[in-house]
């Protein structure tokens, strides 16, 4: 019996590298990699060896005959993907690990950030070179979005952090947490002590709606809401107010789905996760009964992954409905008819609209209180135009939209009011400028070429300066997409090292250690990080949870000092 990849796939591609028959696609060398929801296993080619399941860092791979209940759909999804993407599973050109000529010597490389892209970068460097690595993060803990972005009810996804544990504990790696580049140290000071600096700082800002009332209390970016339930130390415990019965989430990507799911999940289920204590307490008191997912476009342009949306439909005690609209109804009917024709022809996979098949289409009066029970309303073809309220958000005015001839949507002039006490915008992240580095305002990324940071005026690379992850390619791709991204950047760095194009540090590793201690006496190292991890796990063990997170910088530093 073949294996299948399920909901928690991270696109890490560890499974691809161990498959003896090359039946897992798309591979990192194929164009679809990084754009598909998950990777897929061809059941006709799979030899049932189980190597992929052993290699998967997030436990997403299972034998098809062991899938139960709603998970059985993933066997079909894996099979159906290869109907649209036939593959002979022939091996491509072999890829060998990079290494440096012995005469280059040991490099000292700084990596700014400790999230997935930073972890993969350090992993590549430690495995392929004799480099000494310095990792720096503005927060007193490691993990980036693995710790502060992945939803607490997705514990299996967080297991990929375990693959970085050996990286962070490598004797060639030094860690300086609670240190911010641009505030505590400059880029120039960092570069003066290292042959190369790799920035893996993500995309810290949110895109704005640009409408009146957006800054009213009760209007939040998704990063604040996600950070709130994940105990991100810079998000206050009282950042979210859940006293209203209706919440509107603007957006229809995976983060919007996460927000809706957390708001309506039974708190007793969340109590077994690492959700922030303050968030769990607030959710127990919550009056929220309806979450509206608002989208400017139609269901065919929904940005959520199929796996995440299918999981949303299975949320216990929560009804998922679609706000009735002629264009939406037509799109669903056309998708259902197309799926039937595809099935008869032996090809085709579910489109965004077809995923809504079977969901009730109901009139939605957002000006009236929600009905009984808990429900998620998918409201398409509605654009936010204004937030209003006395002192805080009380309502969101939306304009109905319609598809235009050029594929976009345009306003119809018809407006509705949605009464809501909380509006969360989840329309994407955006990078922020980094002191001392060129920034592309149009893309919200560090200006670069294949990972080499470049001067936009001349197009020339800045010696020894590199970028990886969302700061490099923009906020796209899941956790595992950072592995291929890191490999490209590290490849450029090693090419430059081989060509003797890296600058020679002006000072040594010990000098840098002294500089950090002088600027940030409360910097956190590996010993303190271990103490924090131990404290959180001990607190979790006492409550039957994986960990109980320390939610403030003061608490994290105090736990580190108790080593």
């Amino acid at each position: 019996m073949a294996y299948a990849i399920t909901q928690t796939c991270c696109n890490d591609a560890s499974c691809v590298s161990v498959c003896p028959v090359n039946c897992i696609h798309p591979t990192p060398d194929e164009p679809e990699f990084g754009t598909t929801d998950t990777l897929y296993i061809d059941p006709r080619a799979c030899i049932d060896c189980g190597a992929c399941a052993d290699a998967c860092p997030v436990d997403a791979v299972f034998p098809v005959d062991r899938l139960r209940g709603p998970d059985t759909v993933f066997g079909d999804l894996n099979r159906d993907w290869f109907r649209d993407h036939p593959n002979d599973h022939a091996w491509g050109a072999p890829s060998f690990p990079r290494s440096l000529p012995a005469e280059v010597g040991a490099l000292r490389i700084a990596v700014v950030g400790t999230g997935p892209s930073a972890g993969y970068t350090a992993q590549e460097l430690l495995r392929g070179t004799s480099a000494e690595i310095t990792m720096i993060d503005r927060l007193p803990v490691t993990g980036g979005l693995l710790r502060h972005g992945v939803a607490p009810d997705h514990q299996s996804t967080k297991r990929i952090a375990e693959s970085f544990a050996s990286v962070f504990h490598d004797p060639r790696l030094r860690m300086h947490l609670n240190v911010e580049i641009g505030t505590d140290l400059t880029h120039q000071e960092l570069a003066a002590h290292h042959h190369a600096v790799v920035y893996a700082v993500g995309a810290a800002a949110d895109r704005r709606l640009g409408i009146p009332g957006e800054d009213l209390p009760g209007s939040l970016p998704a990063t604040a809401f996600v950070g709130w339930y994940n105990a991100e130390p810079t998000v206050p415990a009282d950042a979210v107010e859940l006293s209203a019965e209706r919440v509107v989430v603007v957006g229809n990507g995976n983060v919007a789905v996460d927000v809706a799911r957390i708001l309506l999940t039974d708190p007793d289920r969340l109590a077994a996760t690492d959700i922030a204590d303050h968030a769990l307490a607030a959710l127990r008191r919550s009056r929220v009964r309806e979450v509206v997912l608002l989208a400017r476009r139609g269901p065919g342009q929904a940005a959520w992954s199929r796996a995440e949306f299918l999981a949303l439909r299975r949320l216990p005690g929560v009804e998922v409905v679609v706000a009735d609209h002629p264009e939406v109804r037509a799109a669903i009917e056309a998708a259902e008819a197309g799926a039937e024709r595809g099935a008869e022809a032996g090809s085709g996979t579910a489109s965004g609209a077809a995923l809504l098949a079977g969901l009730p289409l109901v009139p939605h009066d957002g000006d009236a209180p929600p009905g009984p029970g808990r429900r998620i309303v998918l409201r398409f073809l509605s654009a936010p135009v204004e937030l209003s309220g006395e002192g805080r958000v009380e309502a969101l005015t939306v304009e109905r939209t319609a598809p235009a001839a050029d594929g976009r949507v345009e306003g119809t002039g018809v407006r509705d009011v949605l009464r809501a006490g909380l509006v969360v915008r989840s329309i994407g992240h955006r990078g922020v400028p980094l002191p001392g580095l060129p920034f592309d305002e149009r893309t919200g990324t560090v200006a670069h070429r294949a990972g080499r940071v470049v001067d936009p005026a001349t197009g020339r690379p800045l010696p020894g300066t590199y970028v990886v992850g969302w700061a490099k390619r923009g906020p796209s791709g899941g956790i595992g997409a950072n592995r291929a991204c890191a490999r490209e950047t590290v490849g450029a760095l090693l090419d430059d090292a081989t060509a003797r194009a890296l600058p020679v540090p002006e000072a040594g590793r010990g000098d840098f250690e002294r500089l950090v201690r002088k600027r940030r006496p409360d910097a956190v190292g590996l010993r303190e990080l271990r103490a924090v991890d131990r404290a959180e796990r001990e607190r979790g063990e006492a409550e039957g949870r994986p960990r109980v997170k320390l939610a403030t910088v003061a608490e994290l530093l105090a736990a580190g000092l108790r080593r």
Side-chain angles (χ1 to χ4, degrees):
M1 177 61 65
Y3 279 70
I5 299 176
T6 61
Q7 177 189 345
T8 56
C9 176
C10 67
N11 275 315
D12 173 279
S14 295
C15 54
V16 172
S17 61
V18 300
C19 178
V21 292
N22 196 33
C23 73
I24 304 175
H25 296 269
T27 70
D29 298 324
E30 294 172 340
E32 298 93 343
F33 185 81
T35 62
T36 57
D37 300 341
T38 68
L39 305 184
Y40 301 90
I41 298 174
D42 188 346
R44 295 167 300 178
C46 178
I47 61 172
D48 197 24
C49 69
C52 54
D54 293 337
C56 179
V58 294
D59 293 340
V61 185
F62 296 93
V64 172
D65 60 354
R66 285 180 51 195
L67 298 175
R68 296 290 182 269
D71 286 341
T72 57
V73 69
F74 292 105
D76 297 332
L77 291 177
N78 278 254
R79 181 196 65 230
D80 292 348
W81 192 83
F82 287 94
R83 290 177 177 172
D84 279 354
H85 304 82
N87 198 300
D88 61 6
H89 306 302
W91 294 100
S95 176
F96 299 101
R98 288 294 308 274
S99 60
L100 288 173
E103 59 269 21
V104 171
L107 301 176
R108 291 201 305 276
I109 301 171
V111 179
V112 182
T114 59
S117 61
Y120 283 121
T121 298
Q123 192 175 72
E124 283 283 314
L125 289 166
L126 291 170
R127 287 177 176 176
T129 75
S130 59
E132 295 178 340
I133 311 297
T134 303
M135 295 194 83
I136 300 168
D137 200 295
R138 64 185 179 87
L139 294 178
V141 285
T142 59
L145 285 181
L146 272 178
R147 179 180 170 99
H148 299 125
V150 177
D153 57 347
H154 284 359
Q155 288 297 307
S156 59
T157 302
K158 298 189 179 195
R159 288 180 193 147
I160 199 169
E162 297 172 5
S163 68
F164 298 138
S166 61
V167 173
F168 296 154
H169 289 74
D170 191 288
R172 288 187 283 134
L173 186 145
R174 300 284 179 86
M175 193 173 291
H176 301 287
L177 309 178
N178 202 36
V179 176
E180 186 167 10
I181 303 304
T183 301
D184 302 314
L185 298 171
T186 67
H187 165 70
Q188 290 73 19
E189 288 172 325
L190 196 57
H193 293 81
H194 298 86
H195 292 86
V197 182
V198 183
Y199 285 88
V201 293
D206 288 84
R207 296 186 183 278
R208 293 179 59 84
L209 296 170
I211 62 175
E214 186 172 7
D215 294 320
L216 278 170
S219 169
L220 295 176
T223 50
F225 190 89
V226 172
W228 172 75
Y229 65 60
N230 271 325
E232 211 275 11
T234 64
V235 180
D238 61 355
V240 176
E241 171 63 53
L242 300 178
S243 59
E245 295 182 325
R246 178 182 289 121
V247 172
V248 176
V249 181
V250 182
N252 60 7
N254 284 344
V255 174
V257 167
D258 282 346
V259 171
R261 190 182 65 253
I262 294 299
L263 280 168
L264 293 180
T265 293
D266 184 343
D268 285 342
R269 297 184 66 194
L270 294 174
T273 73
D274 64 351
I275 189 170
D277 278 354
H278 58 251
L280 183 60
L283 289 165
R284 290 194 187 281
R285 301 188 303 267
S286 172
R287 298 182 63 229
V288 177
R289 292 188 292 112
E290 179 179 284
V291 178
V292 180
L293 288 180
L294 196 73
R296 294 178 61 252
R297 298 176 179 271
Q301 290 76 45
W304 54 56
S305 68
R306 286 180 296 172
E308 288 295 328
F309 183 72
L310 290 171
L312 189 71
R313 292 186 58 167
R314 306 194 297 264
L315 196 59
V318 178
E319 183 184 24
V320 181
V321 302
V322 182
D324 201 2
H325 184 292
E327 295 282 356
V328 174
R329 184 180 289 270
I332 295 173
E333 291 174 350
E336 289 174 331
E340 290 177 3
R341 289 193 298 271
E344 292 172 0
S347 65
T349 56
S351 68
L355 287 173
L356 306 181
L359 294 179
L361 282 126
V362 301
H364 183 241
D365 182 3
D367 200 22
R374 292 178 295 160
R375 72 174 186 172
I376 293 171
V377 180
L378 307 176
R379 183 161 179 150
F380 296 97
L381 296 171
S382 297
V385 294
E386 183 179 11
L387 288 164
S388 57
E390 293 295 326
R392 66 172 294 111
V393 169
E394 296 175 357
L396 170 65
T397 301
V398 301
E399 181 177 12
R400 297 186 185 184
T401 62
D406 61 0
R408 301 183 182 182
V409 294
E410 54 189 16
T412 64
V414 179
R415 294 192 171 188
D416 299 316
V417 174
L418 306 182
R419 299 291 171 186
L422 176 64
V423 175
V424 180
R425 67 175 183 271
S426 181
I427 55 174
H429 294 72
R430 179 177 172 81
V432 296
L434 299 170
L437 295 185
F439 187 72
D440 187 332
E441 288 287 351
R442 182 181 61 84
T443 62
T445 60
V446 176
H448 75 95
R449 188 166 56 248
R452 295 180 177 91
V453 177
V454 298
D455 181 343
T458 65
R460 295 175 181 172
L462 300 185
T465 310
Y466 304 85
V467 66
V468 69
W470 281 6
K472 168 187 173 184
R473 64 183 191 276
S476 63
I479 292 170
N482 291 296
R483 190 180 189 189
C485 181
R487 187 167 291 142
E488 179 187 58
T489 294
V490 171
L493 189 159
L494 298 185
D495 285 342
D496 293 344
T498 302
R500 305 295 197 276
L502 296 181
V504 178
E506 300 171 7
R509 196 173 199 180
D511 297 313
F512 185 72
E513 303 275 343
R514 286 187 287 275
L515 178 62
V516 170
R517 287 197 298 271
K518 178 181 178 182
R519 298 287 178 81
R520 283 308 297 250
D522 57 351
V524 171
L526 181 59
R527 287 188 300 171
E528 292 87 354
L529 181 66
R530 285 172 171 166
V532 169
D533 181 65
R534 188 163 54 250
E536 290 186 338
R537 290 182 183 275
E538 288 173 354
R539 295 176 71 197
E541 186 177 359
E543 299 182 19
R545 301 169 62 183
R547 69 173 64 236
V548 173
K549 289 179 177 175
L550 300 167
T552 67
V553 170
E555 289 176 315
L556 290 163
L557 293 179
L561 291 174
R562 288 197 296 267
R563 65 183 185 274

